[in-house]
């Protein structure tokens, strides 16, 4: 029996590929967890197969995403279990994952779910505390995840809080973002969540310890080393890291140079001794001028509903009447929404209803019948663009982190669905099923109530309305 120590998911992937290429069966090998703290430049004890050794090594993408999640699970048996499943997919049953009653599949999907839930918890519950060091602001948080998810979640925080220096300390490992690069370091052992002052002290010790020459060298290499030299680096392990970093860097450049100078984040005051609540956020949002949409609108229309709502509805932006009233979904679209909620058996007062963009975007067209100011002009709704959504999104992020009991997120229409699930979402394809998003494991997308108002004829209107009702009822069942 061969025994191999596995350090992390990438390591498992390399080892598993070699074993499969050498026709080693799961019964001939045991994969052990390497739970020692790894120094950055330790040599990988496994022989690294070069990719050319294994032309055309393909696994179903579903397996890959499952394996990435299960790789973060704390159970020591995960590497063996994953290898057995991969071996079976390769040698016995390519559609293994579709056999839901299979013991391996059952166990893997259960572990995947646990990791996803833990991932969601970390995204939702990490709270930063501001620390000032050498006249610079740092934000520091302590979190104790159930599983080894720090590297899975860190890119999410680097996107959300790209303009802040932050560190998340956890018992397994810690991660620091300096507005450019994510750096992982050792964990900090704590029995329970440290109190504010302790946390600050813990971070200061950690901060001092990460400034050793090796880390500075890596940082410098990552930012300075031209791509053509990468292949000459002795530390080949760094290369996947650098490559993995590339898309995020591009995204960040876009955010910095093509976005608005400001985002809603600049208007969210974070204080170390007070957690923002929904009413406090609403007050802050009332003064938001991060993008030009506030200029032509009457007021910020913040979300409304109880902080303990389990279902959250996310629309696009306030309409004409919402802009005047200051509350979401109170105009004609709101009436359709109310009817659909009622038919789906949902009580609106128990839900949190909000929009991804908080100011009404419109253009003025001549319309003699209306007396609303400016006289003789009608305000015609305009879709917010990606930059406006990006500028406003931090308000929704902040709302979401207050909604501690939210279990289900329903996106109404393509604008919010795209903001939450990424570009290219087709409502007709994705509606009527559970999707998973950065925010919520149970994310649903459905028609915007305005789409029902705009339907070209009664038949189309009725069928869309029925679909909206069905989707709301489905989301309700999931709670
Ligand atoms: N449409 C929306 O998306 N939100 C509202 O609040 C009103 C209309
Ligand atoms: Fe701020 Fe959003 Fe209004 Fe823009 S639309 S000013 S980001 S609240």
């Amino acid at each position: 029996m061969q025994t191999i120590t596995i350090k992390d998911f990438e390591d498992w992937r390399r080892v598993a590929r070699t074993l499969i290429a050498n026709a080693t069966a799961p019964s001939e090998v045991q994969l052990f967890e390497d739970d020692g703290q790894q120094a950055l430049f330790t040599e990988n004890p496994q022989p690294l197969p070069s990719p050319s050794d294994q032309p055309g090594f393909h696994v179903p993408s579903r397996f890959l995403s499952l394996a990435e999640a299960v790789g973060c699970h704390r159970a020591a048996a995960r590497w063996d279990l994953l290898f057995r499943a991969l071996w079976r997919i390769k040698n016995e049953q390519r559609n293994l994952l579709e056999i839901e009653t299979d013991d391996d599949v059952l166990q893997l999907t259960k572990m995947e779910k646990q990791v996803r839930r833990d991932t969601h918890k970390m995204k939702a519950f990490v709270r930063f505390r501001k620390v000032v060091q050498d006249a610079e602001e740092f934000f520091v948080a302590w979190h104790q995840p159930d599983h080894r998810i720090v590297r899975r979640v860190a890119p999410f925080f680097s996107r959300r809080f790209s303009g802040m220096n932050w560190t998340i300390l956890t018992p397994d490992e810690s991660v620091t973002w300096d507005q450019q690069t994510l750096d992982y370091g050792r964990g900090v052992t704590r029995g329970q969540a440290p109190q504010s002052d302790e946390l600050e002290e813990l971070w200061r010790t950690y901060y001092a310890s990460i400034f050793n020459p090796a880390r500075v060298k890596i940082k410098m290499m990552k930012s300075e080393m031209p791509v053509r030299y990468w292949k000459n680096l002795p530390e080949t392990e760094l290369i996947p890291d650098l490559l993995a970093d590339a898309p995020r860097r591009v995204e960040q450049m876009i955010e910095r140079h093509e976005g608005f100078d400001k985002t809603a984040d600049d208007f969210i005051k974070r204080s170390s001794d007070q957690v923002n609540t929904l009413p406090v956020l609403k007050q802050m949002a009332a003064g938001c001028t991060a993008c030009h949409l506030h200029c032509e609108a009457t007021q910020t229309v913040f979300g409304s509903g109880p902080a303990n709502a389990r279902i959250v509805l996310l629309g696009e932006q306030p309409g004409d009447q919402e802009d005047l009233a200051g509350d979401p979904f109170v105009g004609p679209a709101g009436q359709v929404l109310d009817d659909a909620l009622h038919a789906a058996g949902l009580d609106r007062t128990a839900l949190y209803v909000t929009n991804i963009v908080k100011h009404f975007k419109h253009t003025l067209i001549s319309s003699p019948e209306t007396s609303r100011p400016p006289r003789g002009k009608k305000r015609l709704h305009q879709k917010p663009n990606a930059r406006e959504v990006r500028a406003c999104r931090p308000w929704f992020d902040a709302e979401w982190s207050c909604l501690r009991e939210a279990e289900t997120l329903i996106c109404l229409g393509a604008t919010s669905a795209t903001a939450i699930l990424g570009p290219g979402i087709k409502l007709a394809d994705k509606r009527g099923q559970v999707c998973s998003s950065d925010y919520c494991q149970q994310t649903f997308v459905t028609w915007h109530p305005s789409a029902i108002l705009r339907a070209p004829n009664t038949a189309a209107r009725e069928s869309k309305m029925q679909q909206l009702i069905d989707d709301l009822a489905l989301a309700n069942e999931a709670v």
Side-chain angles (χ1 to χ4, degrees), residues 85-361:
L86 178 65
W87 193 88
R88 292 179 62 197
I89 287 171
K90 284 280 176 201
N91 296 296
E92 289 174 353
Q93 202 142 24
R94 189 155 172 89
N95 68 341
L96 176 70
L97 296 184
E98 286 160 36
I99 306 168
E100 288 169 9
T101 50
D102 182 274
D103 280 349
D104 286 345
V105 175
L106 270 174
Q107 202 175 340
L108 283 168
T109 43
K110 187 170 156 204
M111 289 163 85
E112 180 190 36
K113 230 184 211 158
Q114 289 166 338
V115 168
R116 280 185 190 276
R117 179 156 304 160
D118 201 31
T119 302
H120 169 62
K121 257 176 30 195
M122 180 161 174
K123 287 176 184 170
F125 298 144
V126 159
R127 292 287 175 275
F128 289 98
R129 176 186 155 83
K130 187 164 84 180
V131 180
V132 178
Q133 163 105 10
D134 306 330
E136 246 198 294
E137 279 186 351
F138 292 86
F139 291 84
V140 52
W142 159 264
H143 187 71
Q144 192 158 9
D146 294 335
H147 299 286
R148 297 172 182 270
I149 54 168
V150 171
R151 288 172 194 244
R152 185 176 168 85
V153 185
F156 164 86
F157 284 102
S158 71
R159 287 193 300 271
R160 284 289 171 277
F161 303 112
S162 61
M164 289 161 44
N165 298 309
W166 53 254
T167 297
I168 303 174
L169 303 167
T170 89
D172 296 312
E173 67 179 337
S174 299
V175 55
T176 293
W177 170 252
D178 61 2
Q179 304 189 38
Q180 288 208 332
T181 316
L182 285 168
D183 268 330
Y184 298 95
R186 64 185 172 78
V188 290
T189 324
R190 275 280 150 159
Q192 45 184 207
Q195 299 305 307
S196 306
D197 291 346
E198 280 182 291
L199 174 62
E200 184 167 335
E201 197 181 310
L202 200 59
W203 175 80
R204 286 190 193 281
T205 317
Y206 177 78
Y207 177 77
S209 80
I210 59 173
F211 276 87
N212 67 44
R215 295 201 73 87
V216 174
K217 190 169 139 223
I218 292 163
K219 239 188 204 166
M220 189 201 71
M221 276 173 13
K222 281 189 177 180
S223 58
E224 313 268 343
M225 186 79 70
V227 175
R228 63 181 181 281
Y229 295 139
W230 289 0
K231 63 180 185 308
N232 299 328
L233 287 179
E235 298 81 11
T236 48
E237 277 180 333
L238 276 177
I239 291 173
D241 226 354
L242 288 164
L243 290 174
D245 220 15
R248 195 182 41 72
R249 278 171 177 255
V250 171
E251 192 180 298
Q252 221 194 323
M253 275 164 60
I254 293 171
E255 205 167 278
R256 288 197 172 162
H257 301 295
E258 292 179 10
F260 294 109
D261 283 351
K262 289 197 165 164
T263 74
D265 223 14
D266 296 294
F267 293 80
I268 301 176
K269 297 179 200 74
R270 294 179 174 87
S271 101
S272 49
D273 48 312
Q274 192 190 335
V275 178
N276 286 333
T277 58
L278 289 168
V280 170
L281 287 169
K282 182 173 176 166
Q283 221 168 16
M284 290 176 187
C288 182
T289 54
C291 79
H292 66 111
L293 292 186
H294 75 280
C295 303
E296 304 292 334
T298 311
Q299 57 190 315
T300 308
V301 178
F302 206 67
S304 105
N308 66 354
R310 297 168 78 180
I311 299 182
V312 177
L313 290 179
L314 183 63
E316 181 191 85
Q317 60 162 342
D320 181 84
Q321 299 205 18
E322 288 78 12
D323 170 77
L324 297 169
D327 283 314
F329 286 103
V330 292
Q335 188 55 55
V336 174
L337 181 63
D338 284 350
D339 294 346
L341 288 171
H342 181 74
L346 278 153
D347 171 13
R348 174 157 171 179
T349 60
L351 313 178
Y352 189 80
V353 181
T354 190
N355 289 300
I356 193 74
V357 169
K358 309 286 194 243
H359 271 114
F360 176 38
K361 182 179 179 184

Side-chain angles (χ1 to χ4, degrees), residues 29-48:
V29 67
Q30 216 169 358
L31 304 180
F32 278 105
E33 169 85 30
D34 178 354
D35 47 14
Q37 294 273 340
Q38 291 287 318
L40 271 156
F41 290 109
T42 37
E43 291 221 341
N44 190 324
Q46 323 304 337
L48 297 184

